[in-house]
């Protein structure tokens, strides 16, 4: 196969992976918003545990059918990954409870510079001037259209720091483990999802009771709300996998930068389905700035020297084509 054909195929797989992540991520946020705001199911941590339990079930079925090959991942790496991932989920929910929505959004924006710092320190990645400026433009645009009231206290600040650092580490670790052990996205999910499901389902009810003062077992599970929970769990499988696929194919920083496209889409879809309150020139301007920054980032980072790793200490064996397998989880954000 010619290099041009390989390049076209890679570009097509990259676009398909990213599109799948955008569709599933936006879909699950809209479903969860309806589930929590309309039907009062505010148990975010427990719901995330259900998501991983569903993902675990699917990986077990696919492995029994031969679609997932047996692979090895040290328990120490699994424990570290699950620790980072669960701290990210719990930290985000606690941060949202203790901080204003404005500071919560600012904390989410800081994940990009933190992810950049991890790549610079751990992978010796260097960014061009245009790449850095495009990231700043994305941050500015998202801040304009999402950040409103900003208030913070000591415990809220600590929760936000834990949430941001653990999320950045979890996303970096996805890329790191796939490169180090040459395993695909479903294989990595097969190793990590069971531990996340067990830990979140064990801790989730207590965490949710602490956050909402409501018991998940006392919730009135009607037919419609149960169907929404099932739909949320189903979409979450795609969200979990597509996140691993995208970070494996790109990097945690690229995933974060382009991920703000989902923030813009969620805002836009929210205005369509849940009313146009809050839609004004200020928000539209912020969306336009963010989208311009994302386009600039994609162009700048793909150029020679735009974003490159100066040294690479991991094994050089060829990794799997992550998008070839049959397709945090984005953490569930409380509404």
């Amino acid at each position: 196969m010619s290099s041009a054909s390989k390049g076209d195929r890679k570009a097509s797989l990259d676009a398909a992976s990213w599109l799948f992540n955008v569709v599933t991520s936006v879909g699950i946020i809209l479903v969860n918003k309806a589930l929590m705001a309309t039907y009062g199911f505010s148990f975010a941590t427990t719901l995330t545990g259900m998501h991983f339990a569903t993902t675990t079930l699917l990986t077990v079925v696919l492995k029994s059918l031969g679609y997932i090959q047996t692979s090895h991942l040290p328990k120490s790496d699994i424990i570290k990954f699950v620790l980072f991932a669960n701290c990210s989920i719990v930290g985000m929910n606690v941060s949202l409870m203790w901080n204003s929505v404005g500071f919560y959004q600012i904390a989410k924006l800081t994940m990009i510079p933190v992810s950049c710092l991890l790549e610079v320190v751990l992978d010796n990645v260097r960014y061009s001037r245009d790449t850095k400026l495009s990231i700043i433009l994305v941050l500015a645009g998202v801040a304009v259209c999402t950040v409103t009231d900003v208030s913070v206290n000591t415990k809220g600040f600590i929760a936000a720091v834990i949430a941001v650092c653990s999320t950045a580490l979890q996303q970096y670790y996805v890329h790191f483990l796939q490169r180090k052990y040459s395993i695909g996205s479903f294989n990595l999910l097969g190793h990590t999802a069971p531990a996340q499901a067990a830990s979140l389902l064990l801790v989730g009810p207590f965490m949710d009771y602490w956050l909402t003062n409501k018991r998940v077992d006392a919730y009135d599970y009607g037919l419609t709300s149960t169907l929404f929970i099932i739909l949320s769990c189903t979409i979450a499988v795609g969200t979990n996998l597509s996140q691993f696929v995208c970070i494996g194919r790109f990097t945690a920083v690229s995933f974060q930068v382009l991920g703000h496209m989902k923030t813009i889409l969620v805002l836009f879809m929210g205005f369509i389905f849940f009313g146009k309150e809050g839609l004004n020139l200020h928000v539209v301007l912020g969306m336009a700035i963010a989208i311009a920054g994302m386009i600039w980032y994609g162009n700048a980072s793909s150029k020679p020297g735009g974003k490159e790793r100066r040294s690479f200490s991991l094994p050089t064996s060829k990794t799997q084509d992550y998008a070839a397998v049959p397709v945090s989880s984005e953490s569930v954000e409380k509404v």
Side-chain angles (χ1 to χ4, degrees):
M1 184 181 293
S2 65
S3 58
S5 299
K6 290 181 179 179
D8 292 341
R9 182 173 181 272
K10 181 181 182 303
S12 299
L13 291 174
D14 287 348
S17 302
W18 183 248
L19 179 62
F20 187 73
N21 179 258
V22 169
V23 171
T24 55
S25 298
V26 173
I28 197 171
I29 290 174
L30 293 177
V31 170
N32 288 343
K33 183 173 182 179
L35 179 61
M36 295 181 180
T38 304
Y39 298 101
F41 191 86
S42 55
F43 312 103
T45 308
T46 304
L47 182 61
T48 307
M50 295 179 185
H51 291 170
F52 280 107
T54 308
T55 304
T56 300
L57 178 61
L58 181 61
T59 58
V60 170
V61 171
L62 291 177
K63 189 172 183 179
S64 65
L65 295 175
Y67 289 102
I68 301 178
Q69 297 180 353
T70 303
S71 59
H72 173 69
L73 190 64
K75 290 184 178 179
S76 59
D77 284 324
I78 296 176
I79 292 173
K80 284 187 286 187
F81 178 88
V82 171
L83 179 64
F84 295 148
N86 288 356
C87 284
S88 169
I89 294 168
V90 174
M92 279 298 178
N93 288 334
V94 174
S95 175
L96 184 57
M97 180 184 71
W98 284 347
N99 297 313
S100 66
V101 175
F103 185 79
Y104 174 78
Q105 291 293 344
I106 290 176
K108 288 182 65 179
L109 291 176
T110 61
M111 290 179 193
I112 293 181
V114 172
S115 296
C116 289
L117 180 62
L118 286 176
E119 288 192 352
V120 169
V121 174
L122 300 179
D123 285 347
N124 201 21
V125 170
R126 294 296 179 266
Y127 300 91
S128 68
R129 181 180 63 87
D130 282 357
T131 304
K132 295 175 184 176
L133 290 176
S134 66
I135 292 175
I136 294 174
L137 189 62
V138 171
L139 294 174
V142 176
V144 167
C145 63
T146 60
V147 176
T148 52
D149 61 309
V150 178
S151 61
V152 63
N153 53 65
T154 302
K155 63 179 184 180
F157 179 79
I158 294 174
V161 170
I162 293 174
V164 169
C165 293
S166 58
T167 300
L169 283 168
Q170 183 257 343
Q171 293 186 354
Y172 172 83
Y173 225 53
V174 170
H175 190 68
F176 172 81
L177 292 176
Q178 291 192 28
R179 286 186 293 127
K180 182 177 181 179
Y181 297 105
S182 298
I183 58 177
S185 305
F186 246 130
N187 293 80
L188 185 56
L189 272 176
H191 287 292
T192 60
Q196 279 194 264
S199 57
L200 288 174
L201 288 176
L202 180 63
V203 176
F206 300 99
M207 178 62 63
D208 290 330
Y209 181 76
W210 179 50
L211 293 173
T212 66
N213 203 29
K214 297 177 182 178
R215 291 171 46 186
V216 65
D217 59 310
Y219 176 75
D220 183 16
Y221 292 90
L223 176 61
T224 307
S225 60
T226 302
L227 290 176
F228 265 92
I229 292 173
I230 294 173
L231 179 60
S232 177
C233 291
T234 302
I235 299 176
V237 175
T239 307
N240 290 338
L241 180 61
S242 63
Q243 180 186 13
F244 281 31
V245 168
C246 286
I247 297 177
R249 294 191 68 86
F250 312 116
T251 62
V253 172
S254 295
F255 182 77
Q256 282 286 345
V257 172
L258 298 177
H260 284 297
M261 175 63 76
K262 293 176 286 189
T263 302
I264 303 301
L265 286 175
V266 168
L267 284 173
F268 182 73
M269 298 296 286
F271 292 138
I272 291 177
F273 292 107
F274 299 102
K276 293 182 173 56
E277 182 180 354
L279 181 61
N280 52 46
L281 181 61
H282 184 264
V283 173
V284 173
L285 177 62
M287 290 180 177
I289 294 173
I291 292 173
M294 292 169 200
I295 295 173
W296 188 9
Y297 175 82
N299 183 55
S301 62
S302 62
K303 289 181 178 179
K307 179 180 179 181
E308 59 185 6
R309 184 176 287 109
R310 297 295 177 84
S311 64
F312 188 62
S313 59
L314 294 177
T316 57
S317 59
K318 185 177 180 181
T319 59
Q320 293 184 23
D321 185 353
Y322 304 119
V325 296
V327 180
S328 17
S329 171
E330 294 187 350
S331 59
V332 180
E333 297 179 4
K334 290 180 64 182
V335 178

